[in-house]
Amino acid sequence: MSDARSGLLGALGAGAGLWVFLPLGGRVSLTEAAAVLLAPPCLLALARCRRGTALAVTAGCWFAGLAVSQVLHPGPLPSAVRAFAAVIALVVTAGLLCSVLTRGQADRARPRRAVLVGFAWGQLVGLFVTPPSAAGLDLWKFGGGQAVTLLVLLAAERFSPHTRRHALPLLLLVLTAGHLAVGSRVLALVTFVALLGTLFAPLSWRRPGRVRAALLAAAVVAGALVLQHAYTSLATSGALGADQQIKIGFQDGDLGLIVGGRKDFVFLLAAVAERPVVGWGPGAVVPAETKAEAVTWLREHDYPLEVYDFLTFVRPATLYLHSVVLGSWATAGLAALPFWLLAMALLGGGIVRAWRRGGIAELFVLVMAGWHVLFSPLGDTTRGHIALALALALTAVAGGDGRGDEDARDRVALGRADGAAEPAADPESAQAQRRPGGQQHAHRGLVTACLSGQHQQLGHHDDERRDQVPPEGGDRAGEA
């Protein structure tokens, strides 16, 4: 088997292995287990990527912050062990995926596509082989919808440029409406962002960078508000079913779903505000007074607290860590923030590059990972996703700075996606590039003389120079 084929199979298996779990003191994916066993080479692969070393160093700061907070505010030992293991698993898995994405492939796009295909099919298989506990509540929301959407987008990337330009926005609009109809608000929002990325793709190189970034950001914010209003209206009227009508009833308040859909954020922010430097330790045990402040704030802003809220957010002594970045801050203090700030910067850069290249499937995965960092817990179903997104972002710039060449390739790709033909090669230019160095000088001198009407006087000199042509590459070596 060739190295290229084995590399593609490795990428496919690494992506699929993120969704098949082993009961090792918790749910640990096959890919995570392999990364821990191969930790040293995985860390070396991470260090070879641009900003990979910085990611590893900031992860060490996060780990140290957890250790300090555990000493200052001791909590249950199992919680501490799981927190330390999550940091290690996330970093080494990102390193393993970086190694897979850069292994022996002249065309870096092929392993990237293979790992995404494996990621999507692995999630579908994992829902039935090793399903997460939440899958019983809503199979579509907790895995099925994301996998199907990613497979559809991967298939759409194989369309011809003309078909893709016209069919992809309509396809994404249908997917957004479908997710919204079944109550999967996050999937609807992320798919809608991918739709906006498709519609704004022609502006990705025709406008200045700040202008296009501002236009896309404004469109995302406006679109999110429109989606929120549409969902609130449909759910309140009962058009989405009785379950969604009940759900929206205890999530609506002064600030709408921004707070109502994530009431746990208020409790996390109250805990962080009280101890922002060292945090509360991996156990995240906080006093009742801290949670009482969050309850008071919610009631002052007309957010009702139901039985579920009291059982999940108020009654337990620990925090409900339903945000990776805020949960890390609450448990490890400020030492966790450099890692997640760098991670968000990497994800943002990866999103921009995927958008400019027209990689709609990769864009979807990266945006969803960004959502997990902000609004999801660091659990078994999010660690692998975030690690994959970080690896995709890191390997997108693994070749060095070279931004000018990358911009040119992106413009060519966008031109093809828009159905524009590449400029035809100039026969004279192509012939000149094939000439040895001395012939190029002579040819340029002859053209200049022709334009000035003196070409007859230069014929003899041109013949002499042709007889003195140095070997191939001679002029280049001299110039160097």
Side-chain angles (χ1 to χ4, degrees):
M1 184 181 295
S2 64
D3 290 342
R5 181 170 296 181
S6 63
L8 292 178
L9 290 177
L12 191 69
L18 292 170
W19 294 108
V20 180
F21 296 93
L22 301 172
L24 301 175
R27 283 164 53 90
V28 179
S29 72
L30 290 176
T31 304
E32 288 176 324
V36 172
L37 292 175
L38 301 171
C42 290
L43 291 176
L44 288 176
L46 184 65
R48 283 194 294 268
C49 295
R50 182 186 176 197
R51 297 183 183 173
T53 301
L55 194 70
V57 170
T58 53
C61 295
W62 178 20
F63 192 94
L66 283 172
V68 171
S69 62
Q70 172 66 12
V71 171
L72 296 178
H73 309 288
L77 185 59
S79 299
V81 172
R82 284 194 295 269
F84 292 132
V87 178
I88 296 172
L90 177 63
V91 176
V92 296
T93 303
L96 175 63
L97 292 167
C98 285
S99 175
V100 167
L101 291 172
T102 57
R103 178 189 171 191
Q105 292 287 337
D107 182 7
R108 293 288 177 87
R110 297 184 68 190
R112 298 175 83 83
R113 180 176 177 82
V115 77
L116 291 178
V117 170
F119 185 76
W121 281 111
Q123 188 168 20
L124 284 180
V125 173
L127 285 175
F128 298 98
V129 177
T130 54
S133 57
L137 301 175
D138 191 334
L139 190 64
W140 184 262
K141 177 180 179 181
F142 294 102
Q146 174 178 292
V148 171
T149 302
L150 182 55
L151 287 173
V152 170
L153 295 180
L154 286 167
E157 288 184 347
R158 311 298 290 181
F159 293 167
S160 66
H162 177 78
T163 303
R164 180 178 176 182
R165 186 172 68 252
H166 293 88
L168 187 55
L170 180 61
L171 184 61
L172 287 168
L173 183 61
V174 171
L175 287 170
T176 301
H179 293 320
L180 198 62
V182 298
S184 296
R185 298 174 297 191
V186 176
L187 279 173
L189 178 60
V190 175
T191 309
F192 185 73
V193 172
L195 170 61
L196 292 177
T198 302
L199 295 176
F200 278 74
L203 295 177
S204 63
W205 60 274
R206 296 173 186 168
R207 303 288 184 192
R210 294 181 180 179
V211 172
R212 64 173 179 258
L215 288 173
L216 185 58
V220 169
V221 172
L225 293 175
V226 169
L227 281 179
Q228 174 183 291
H229 179 73
Y231 171 80
T232 303
S233 301
L234 292 172
T236 304
S237 65
L240 301 180
D243 291 342
Q244 296 299 320
Q245 190 174 26
I246 296 172
K247 188 176 182 178
I248 195 64
F250 65 82
Q251 289 185 344
D252 202 11
D254 289 350
L255 300 177
L257 294 177
I258 297 175
V259 175
R262 287 291 183 268
K263 294 178 185 176
D264 44 285
F265 267 43
V266 181
F267 294 88
L268 284 171
L269 289 172
V272 166
E274 189 165 340
R275 283 184 179 170
V277 178
V278 295
W280 295 91
V285 178
V286 297
E289 293 78 9
T290 302
K291 293 194 172 186
E293 295 177 4
V295 170
T296 301
W297 188 94
L298 288 169
R299 286 176 172 168
E300 288 176 350
H301 292 81
D302 293 332
Y303 284 101
L305 290 170
E306 303 295 329
V307 175
Y308 171 83
D309 299 323
F310 278 99
L311 293 178
T312 307
F313 309 138
V314 182
R315 187 174 179 180
T318 58
L319 290 168
Y320 188 67
L321 305 177
H322 209 272
S323 167
V324 173
V325 62
L326 286 180
S328 300
W329 190 0
T331 55
L334 289 175
L337 287 186
F339 178 87
W340 291 112
L341 292 176
L342 177 58
M344 289 300 296
L346 289 171
L347 292 178
I351 288 170
V352 171
R353 290 182 180 88
W355 170 47
R356 291 167 60 191
R357 288 195 304 265
I360 195 66
E362 185 173 329
L363 175 68
F364 176 82
V365 170
L366 290 167
V367 173
M368 183 62 77
W371 176 273
H372 287 327
V373 171
L374 295 174
F375 302 109
S376 297
L378 187 61
D380 50 10
T381 59
T382 56
R383 283 195 311 266
H385 192 145
I386 295 172
L388 173 61
L390 289 175
L392 290 170
L394 285 167
T395 54
V397 293
D401 292 332
R403 295 178 180 175
D405 294 340
E406 181 181 289
D407 292 345
R409 289 193 299 269
D410 292 340
R411 287 194 291 270
V412 171
L414 284 169
R416 290 174 180 169
D418 290 339
E422 296 184 44
D426 183 5
E428 291 289 338
S429 301
Q431 184 179 0
Q433 292 176 359
R434 291 192 297 268
R435 290 192 184 97
Q439 290 188 15
Q440 290 186 31
H441 292 308
H443 182 72
R444 285 196 295 267
L446 181 60
V447 171
T448 305
C450 289
L451 292 176
S452 61
Q454 300 175 358
H455 60 282
Q456 294 180 353
Q457 300 178 12
L458 291 176
H460 175 69
H461 298 290
D462 183 62
D463 292 337
E464 291 181 352
R465 293 185 66 180
R466 287 180 187 272
D467 294 337
Q468 300 174 2
V469 174
E472 182 72 27
D475 282 8
R476 295 179 185 174
E479 291 174 0

